[in-house]
Amino acid sequence: MARIVMKFGGTSVADMDRIRNVARHVKREVDAGHEVAVVVSAMSGKTNELVAWTRDASPMHDAREYDAVVASGEQVTSGLLALALQNIGINARSWQGWQIPIKTDNAHGAARILEIDGSELIRRFGEGQVAVVAGFQGLGPDNRIATLGRGGSDTSAVAIAAAIKADRCDIYTDVDGVYTTDPRIEPKAKRLKKIAFEEMLEMASLGAKVLQVRSVELAMVFKVRTFVRSSFEDPDAPGMGDFLNPPGTLICDEEEILEQEVVTGIAYAKDEAQISLRRLADRPGVSAAIFGPLAEAHINVDMIVQNISEDGSKTDMTFTVPSGDVDKALKVLNDQKDKVGFDVIQNESGLVKVSVIGIGMRSHAGVAASAFKALAEKGINIKAITTSEIKISILIDGAYAELAVRTLHSVYGLDKS
Amino acid sequence: MARIVMKFGGTSVADMDRIRNVARHVKREVDAGHEVAVVVSAMSGKTNELVAWTRDASPMHDAREYDAVVASGEQVTSGLLALALQNIGINARSWQGWQIPIKTDNAHGAARILEIDGSELIRRFGEGQVAVVAGFQGLGPDNRIATLGRGGSDTSAVAIAAAIKADRCDIYTDVDGVYTTDPRIEPKAKRLKKIAFEEMLEMASLGAKVLQVRSVELAMVFKVRTFVRSSFEDPDAPGMGDFLNPPGTLICDEEEILEQEVVTGIAYAKDEAQISLRRLADRPGVSAAIFGPLAEAHINVDMIVQNISEDGSKTDMTFTVPSGDVDKALKVLNDQKDKVGFDVIQNESGLVKVSVIGIGMRSHAGVAASAFKALAEKGINIKAITTSEIKISILIDGAYAELAVRTLHSVYGLDKS
C-alpha cells in the first residue's frame, strides 16, 4: 500500500465523460489498496472563458477579484469528480484551497504556496476517503482565494504530495511521458523511462510543455518522485496499475537513475529574437543599465553573450528575447541610450534556440564539440552559444530548426533505444 | 445617508452588459451617499447548467458536493460585478459566504441561515467600500459551502439587510413591482405602492413569483423594509434614486400602510387537483392516517375540507394536491385503504385556486360573501373554500380561471387606482 497523488489537467476533465474516465483511473489505484489524493484543473476552455469575462469587466484588473472568478473552474471540477467517484462506490470528498487550507502568499494571480496542512487529508485516508483537491488555488493571508498562475495545478499536486509525504505524484496529461525530443519533429524520439529533476527543469524551461517549471522546481526541492503519464489510455489496460513501473516517465533524483546517458534529450524554443548592442563602453554597471530597465518592462531576457568589440577597446553585448517583445525592448533600450552608451543597435527575429540536455555531460568532455561539428556538417550557422553544467544552448536561424533537432538527436545516439 | 442592500437576480446579471448595467444602479446609490451591500445571483442559466452536471455525475447526489459545484455560479458573478464597479471608479470587493461568514445549518442544498457577522462589512462601509456578496450560499458547521436552495439569493439579501441593520433591502428583478393581480390576465391590474408582509407572504405562497416565500418570512420577522423594483429600467431615469419613494412596491409592516384597503390583491394557483375520500369512519386519528403517509411521500397537500357525509354517520374528506402528484397520492391512499377505511375515492384535475388577499378583511365582514355572489353571477361553480384571517381561497374549474380573477379584481374595486 502506498500514498499517491494523481493530477488531471483540463483536457483530462473536459466534460462529464472524461471526468468519469478519470474516476476509473482513481478507482484502479484505490482498488489496489493505495491512499489517493486527486488534484484537478478546470474543464478545458473554462479558465479562458472566465479570464475573458474578467477582462471584459475591467481592464484595470483587480487580481483578487480575478482569483475569485477564475478559481471557480477548479471548484466545479472537484465537486463533479467527487460525485463521479461516489457514483462508482468510492468514498470521496472535494476540498477547496481555503478548506485544507493551502496557504499562499499575497501575490494574487501568481501566488506561491507557503504551507499546506495535510493532517486532515491523512486522517481521512485512514477512514478510506479519497481527497479531491481543487488545483491552482489556495488561501492568501487576506483570507481571500489566491490562484497560482497558469498551469498552477501541477504545482498544487506536487506541493500536496510533499505535504502528505506521498510515495509518488502522478501527473496525468494528454501525452504519455517525456520524450528525447518532440516526436512531431523527430519520429524516432523515444519515451524516457526516467529523467532527473535538473534535466526536466531544463526541458520545461525550454518549452517542453509537459510540466510547469515551478512544479518541477518544487518536486526537486522536496524530492517528490513525479510520473508523467497519459489520462487517455484505458484506465484498466494491462500494466496501468503497475505500482513500480507504470507506463510513463519518472522524474526523480539523479541518484535513482543508474544507467545515466551523456545526453538525455534535445529541446527547442521557437520565436526567439536576438538583439545586439555594438561598441558599448566597457565599464562596470553597463549590464545593469541594459538589463535593469528590460526587467522592469517585464521582458524576459534569455541568452546573454558578451564579447570584446572589433576594435578591441569596447564591448559588444548580444542577448535574446521572445520575438513578440522585440519592439518593446528596442524602445526601452533607445530610451536608455545615453545611459547605456551604445553605438549601434541591431536585431534579428525568427530564430530558434536548440538545446542539448544531459546530466551526464558533467563528467564527459567533448559533448559541445560534437554538437558544433554536426551542425557545421549540415551547413547550419551558429549565432550564439550558452552553456551550463548540464545544457548546451545554440541559437540558429529558424529555418534550420527541425534539421538541427534531428541532427543532434542522432549525433548523441538518442535514435537507438 | 442610508444603508441599502441591493439584490440582483439571474436575469439582471445574465451577461457582462447586464452586469455593467447593475454597476450603474449601484453607482447611483453610492453617488447619493448611501452605504451599499449588493447581493447577486448566478448568471441566468448557469445554475441550471451546473445542476445538470451534478445529476450527470451522480444520480445519488451528495448534497455537499452539489453545493460546492452550484455555489460557483454566484462566486463568478460577485467577482465580475466587483470588477465592473471598480472599472467605473467605485471601491468594491466581493465576499463569498464562507468569508463573511454567513453561517448556516447543515442542511446542504436547502440550508437555513443561522447567523451573519456583519461587522467587517460595516467597518468597510466606513472606508467607502461597497460589499458585493455572493447570494444563495453560506458556510455550514462542517466548514463546507452550503446553499440555501433555489431562489435563496432573496433570502441572502434580506438576512444581510437584517445583519447590517440596513434601512432598506431593494430586490431588483425583471418586474417593476407587485401588482393587484397578474397583469397578463387583467390588464387593469395596478402596481401596489405598499403591501404588508403577511399579504406578500400569501401572494408568494400562491404563485406570485416575485419573491421567495422564505425571504418574505425573514423580512417579516426582522422587519426589513423590502422594495421590489426593476433592474431593467434606465439606472439614471428620473426618480430612480428617490430614496423615500423609489419606483416599485414596498413590502413593509402593516402599521406603515396608512390607507389600508380591504382587499390588496387577487392571486391564483394553476394545476390544482382535488381528491375526495367518501364515507370515512368518523373517528380520531383518521386525518393522521391520511395526511401522514402523503407527507412522507413529499406530496404537498393544500386546501383541506371535511364534511359530514350524505348519510350523516360518516365523514367526507376533500383536499387539493398539485395535479402532477395525483397519481402518486392515489397510490399512497389506496395502499393505506384498510387503515383509513374509506369507501370511495374520487379525483378531479385541472382546477384552479383563486385567492382574495387583504389584511383589511380582518375588520370587515362580508368580504367572502361578495366573492361568492360575484362568482355565482358569472355562473362559476365553487368546488371548495378555505379561509384565513387575511385570505379567502376558492377552488374552481380551470376553464374559469381568468374570468374569476377579473371578476374578483373588479368586485373589490382594484381596477380603480
Side-chain angles (χ1 to χ4, degrees), chain A residues 202-377:
Chain A
E202 295 288 4
M203 296 283 259
S205 310
L206 288 164
K209 297 204 177 64
V210 180
L211 272 183
Q212 282 292 310
V213 174
R214 282 173 58 195
S215 66
V216 182
E217 288 172 352
L218 206 61
M220 185 161 73
V221 170
F222 290 100
K223 295 201 188 299
V224 175
R225 301 174 76 243
T226 304
F227 260 101
V228 173
R229 52 188 303 186
S230 169
S231 71
F232 286 79
E233 282 172 50
D234 178 358
D236 301 313
M240 286 294 282
D242 183 346
F243 179 68
L244 291 176
N245 194 23
T249 300
L250 175 66
I251 309 166
C252 58
D253 204 78
E254 60 181 288
E255 286 160 22
E256 203 178 322
I257 304 172
L258 299 177
E259 299 170 29
Q260 185 67 61
E261 304 289 332
V262 176
V263 169
T264 304
I266 312 295
Y268 67 97
K270 282 186 177 174
D271 292 324
E272 299 279 316
Q274 189 179 38
I275 294 177
S276 296
L277 302 174
R278 301 290 179 196
R279 287 185 290 283
L280 287 163
D282 192 6
R283 55 173 166 77
V286 70
S287 293
I290 295 169
F291 298 115
L294 288 173
E296 277 165 33
H298 301 288
I299 295 167
N300 200 9
V301 173
D302 182 17
M303 303 171 83
I304 299 176
V305 183
Q306 190 175 356
N307 256 342
I308 291 174
S309 65
E310 280 179 345
D311 63 9
S313 68
K314 299 215 164 184
T315 188
D316 289 349
M317 184 80 80
T318 295
F319 55 89
T320 61
V321 297
S323 280
D325 284 344
V326 169
D327 291 344
K328 198 160 74 167
L330 293 177
K331 186 178 180 310
V332 168
L333 292 166
N334 279 315
D335 287 351
Q336 298 280 322
K337 186 167 184 178
D338 291 346
K339 243 187 191 161
V340 179
F342 56 85
D343 195 23
V344 180
I345 189 164
Q346 298 171 317
N347 75 86
E348 185 178 8
S349 290
L351 306 181
V352 161
K353 182 175 64 169
V354 182
S355 301
V356 179
I357 294 157
I359 280 184
M361 67 175 73
R362 283 190 196 136
S363 50
H364 280 76
V367 177
S370 310
F372 305 151
K373 179 159 174 282
L375 294 178
E377 282 173 4

Side-chain angles (χ1 to χ4, degrees), chain A residues 16 20 56-60 62 65 68-69 72 75-76 79 82-84 86-87 93-94 98-99 143-145, chain B residues 16 20 56-60 62 65 68-69 72 75-76 79 82-84 86-87 93-94 98-99 143-145:
Chain A
M16 273 313 306
R20 273 186 281 269
D56 189 5
S58 173
M60 292 193 309
D62 176 344
E65 300 302 344
V69 173
S72 69
Q75 180 171 326
V76 169
L83 286 169
Q86 291 173 4
N87 199 42
R93 78 154 268 190
S94 67
W98 57 268
Q99 287 171 329
N143 199 37
R144 299 183 70 173
I145 298 170
Chain B
M16 274 313 305
R20 272 187 281 270
D56 190 6
S58 173
M60 291 192 311
D62 176 344
E65 300 303 344
V69 173
S72 69
Q75 181 171 326
V76 169
L83 287 168
Q86 290 172 6
N87 199 43
R93 79 154 270 191
S94 66
W98 57 268
Q99 288 171 329
N143 200 37
R144 300 182 72 175
I145 298 170

Side-chain angles (χ1 to χ4, degrees), chain B residues 310-368:
Chain B
E310 280 180 343
D311 63 10
S313 67
K314 299 210 164 188
T315 189
D316 289 349
M317 184 81 79
T318 295
F319 56 89
T320 61
V321 298
S323 280
D325 285 343
V326 170
D327 291 344
K328 199 161 73 165
L330 293 177
K331 187 177 177 312
V332 167
L333 292 167
N334 278 314
D335 287 351
Q336 298 280 323
K337 184 166 184 180
D338 291 347
K339 243 185 188 163
V340 180
F342 56 85
D343 195 25
V344 180
I345 189 164
Q346 297 169 317
N347 76 87
E348 184 176 9
S349 290
L351 305 182
V352 161
K353 183 174 63 171
V354 181
S355 300
V356 178
I357 295 158
I359 280 187
M361 68 175 76
R362 281 190 197 137
S363 49
H364 278 75
V367 178

